[in-house]
Structures are given as C-alpha cells and as structure tokens.
DNA sequence: TGTAGAGTGTATATTTATGTATGTTTTATA
DNA sequence: TATAAAACATACATAAATATACACTCTACA
C-alpha cells in the first residue's frame, strides 16, 4: 500500500491524514505547500500528482482529490499511524472550542482510536468529580465533538463557563447531569434541554 | 583494514563518517570537495571512486553510496574484538527494517557491548525529545531487537513511518510513549496496545 | 445584479544542486 | 628534465524546487 513512497510523499500523506481528521478534506495545494515548507505551489502539486500516479490519491469528478485508502495497513502493529489531536486548555464560554487561544498542544493519537470524519479534541481532567467513573485528576480525556448523546454517556458540557464532564441523563424534557461519585460535594445538575452538549468522552488516558 | 589508504582517502572517510552520523547521508561530491579543500568537483569524485574500488564504499541499487566499514573512533587501532552492526538510516514504510536499502553502514562495535544470540542494530538519534534521558542529537543508539518491553524502557517504535525512541508505558489496554522532556513540543504519543515494539535501547554511543 | 477579493488548480520559465565529462595545469619524483 | 599522478577550471545533463502568472470558482456586499 504505502510501498515505494519517498520521504516527502510520506510526509505529505501525514499532513493529508491530519487534514482529513480536522478539516474533513484533502488540503489544498497551497496548504500542503506550507505544511511541507515548500515555497511554490508547483512543488506540492507535483507531489500530489505523483501520489495520484501511485494510486494513493484519486481525482474526483469535480477535480478535487480524494484519498483512495485511508485504512489501516494490515501490519498496523509495527507501523502505527497517528493523527494530531489538539489538547485544549481552558474552555471558556463563548469562545469557539477550537479557537487557537485554547490549544495548549498537539498530541499524537493512534488512528485506531479515531473514527473517520469525526472531530476530536483532548481535555485535561481537573478535580475529582468523576473519579468513580474512572476519571482522575490529570487524566487526558479524548472527546468526540458532537451535539447529541445517549443516556449514560459521559458528556462534556459548558456550565457556568466551566468545562464539566458528567453523566448524561435525559427524561421528560429535563436533562440531569450526574456526577458519578455520589457525595455531598458533587450534586447532580438539573437543566432544561436547551443547552448544548460539546462532546462525548470516548477514552480516558492515564498518564 | 585501512592500511592501503592514502592520507586524502582517510580524510575523506572521516568527513563521510561525520556526515553520516550527523546528516544521515553520504556528502555530495561538492560537499566533500569543500570539506577536503578541493577546488574542483572532479577531485572529490575521483576520491569517491577510488574508495569504491577499494571496497570501502559500495553503490546501492538506487545509485547512492553506502559505507562498508565504519569503526567508531574509540575503537580505532585497538585490538578489541568487534562485531559489525548495521547502522540503519531512514526506516521507510513497507520496507523491512533490515532491508539493504535501510542500511547506511556497517559499524564495528566491541563485543563487550553485545549479548550473544541477540540481534542488534544502530540508529542515529535525531531531535532532542529524549535529551533528559541522556540521548542527544547525533548520538548512536545501540538497539537490541525484541518485541517486548518493561514499563520505563526506552523503546524504538515506528510511528508514522518514523523511527521514534520514547519511554514505554502500558496501562489499561493503551500504550503511552512518553518523551522525557515534558514541554509543549514534546507530547506523549498515545496508541492502542495493538502495536509492535521494534527494540529496546541498550546503549547510547556519544561521538 | 454586479463586482471585488480570496482561494483554487494549473502552466511556464528559471534557479539550484547534483553527478559526470572534457580538457588543462600543477606537483612530485624518478 | 621527463613523466605520471593529482588537482584544476569548465561544461553538460538531469532532477528538484522556485517565482510568477493565468483562469476558474466561490462568496460577501454594495
């Protein structure tokens, strides 16, 4: 699959993969140019051309490129593929969740943990309100960006300008966010359903 | 071994070795020309040719040169018994790790550093993500080929077709590769446990 | 409705770095 | 001094990367 690719071609593929995860599309000739530190769109266009000739990319009807196979190679284990997921710092209300000011770092995550076409981000867990659910202070939460959730999901919500992870429960037009640990400090939060879910916790990474 | 080499040839070898360790490639005819204070590319080209005839250099399939015999400086002239360990260059996707295309040189290493019956190879350290662990840019890493590791070992993994050395940590069905220095540039890499370790760093050779 | 601007893929010609080839000059030494 | 080896100055062909321009599609906005 990825045989006989030059270093530059592999680097281009890496950038394309990341662009697919975060922007949902193949980068433009000029975006790729910047990513590869080229100075002319020609250089990256030639690279795309050669990837097309090697049948890694394909041209669609409208002229735009499409990646032929974004699947994991069989010998994945020895050849881990990753995408970069932004690690968000403080998520304040009103600020778009992907605003550059919020991005603390970029963390490489195996593509095996990522669903194609979905947007993800990482958040550092603070406090211990979820420790019964296996989330401890300092853990990294891999969160899939979405607006809906199933009952029982651990969701990220913005409550009073704070990023909060709680268990989602909806019934009778009311939404109850339960902390997993049931003590006096962490009481459930009861809201109407006119609030926005930011995402669902897909994985908890203990560092 | 190097007895029938002229002074100029020895000097050229020194420059080639240096370039191999630090730039990861045989210098171009003109780079070697400058290094040897020649004024014409012909002069260094002739020198490369004669090193090839004396079988110190060898042409690979792709036409680029490869150094056949490479002793690390400490061993120069010593009577210590040595074995030849391959120095791997870029580890491209799809190519088995010991394929000829990957081998940049054969380096003589003292047998005292080698356990019998184990397979070893050398890798040039790039970047400084491991500098807190005593690995600096340009060091040669002596790596024992094995698939398993203990938490805390410095392992070699192929991440996005790049050879990466990081501290190994496995927990909860996830594998976390930590850089020793913890800053915004060097973040951990998070993988599923479905990936293969290439080897464990046994020694760091500083040149 | 029309226009300006940004972003797109592509085309043309140029620059740069490479290995090699052609002779010529210098240097060492027999 | 004669001669062979070494180093020289150039030139050529190729590949990669460059600068720049062109034509097309959007979208925003007056």
């Amino acid at each position: 699959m990825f045989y006989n690719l030059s270093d530059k071609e592999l680097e281009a593929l890496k950038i394309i993969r990341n662009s697919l995860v975060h922007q949902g599309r193949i980068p433009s000739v000029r975006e790729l140019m910047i990513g590869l530190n080229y100075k002319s769109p020609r250089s990256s266009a030639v690279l795309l051309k050669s990837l097309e000739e090697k049948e890694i990319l394909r041209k669609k009807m409208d002229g735009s490129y499409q990646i032929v196979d974004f699947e994991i190679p069989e010998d994945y284990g020895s050849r881990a593929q990753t995408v970069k997921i932004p690690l968000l710092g403080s998520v304040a209300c009103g600020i778009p969740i992907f605003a550059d000011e919020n991005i603390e770092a970029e963390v490489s995550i195996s593509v095996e943990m990522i669903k194609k076409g979905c947007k993800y981000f990482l958040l550092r867990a603070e406090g211990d309100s979820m420790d019964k659910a296996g989330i401890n202070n300092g853990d990294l939460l891999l969160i899939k960006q979405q607006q809906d959730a199933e009952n029982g999901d651990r969701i990220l919500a913005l409550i009073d300008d704070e990023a909060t992870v709680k268990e989602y429960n909806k019934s009778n037009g009311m939404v109850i966010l339960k902390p997993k640990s049931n003590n006096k400090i962490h009481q459930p939060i009861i809201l109407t359903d006119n609030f926005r879910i930011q995402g669902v916790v897909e994985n908890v990474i203990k560092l």
Side-chain angles (χ1 to χ4, degrees), chain A residues 47-155:
Chain A
L47 213 40
L48 285 174
K49 200 84 176 173
S50 78
L51 282 174
E52 187 191 355
E53 270 158 20
K54 293 182 179 177
E55 297 185 332
I56 308 289
L57 298 180
R58 186 194 302 138
K59 277 224 176 174
K60 289 195 291 185
M61 309 293 180
D62 60 4
S64 70
Y65 277 111
Q66 175 189 28
I67 198 161
V68 170
D69 204 350
F70 182 33
E71 298 312 318
I72 302 152
E74 300 130 40
D75 61 342
Y76 168 77
S78 58
R79 313 231 164 228
Q81 311 275 321
T82 68
V83 288
K84 294 213 160 102
I85 304 292
L87 169 58
L88 301 188
S90 61
V91 182
C93 192
I95 298 176
I97 207 151
F98 271 115
D100 284 349
E101 304 91 271
N102 289 337
I103 296 177
E104 205 175 86
E106 300 258 318
V107 179
S108 293
I109 305 259
S110 164
V111 293
E112 271 202 341
M113 300 171 74
I114 300 297
K115 284 198 195 85
K116 204 170 157 182
C118 298
K119 289 193 179 175
Y120 288 82
F121 55 92
L122 288 162
L123 213 60
R124 200 184 301 281
E126 275 170 15
D128 56 355
S129 67
M130 291 293 287
D131 53 3
K132 290 279 162 51
I135 299 176
N136 299 107
N137 197 357
D139 290 350
L140 283 189
L141 306 178
L142 178 65
I143 294 169
K144 180 146 86 59
Q145 230 177 339
Q146 59 185 58
Q147 266 93 56
D148 56 313
E150 306 275 312
N151 280 354
D153 280 350
R154 292 174 294 184
I155 64 147

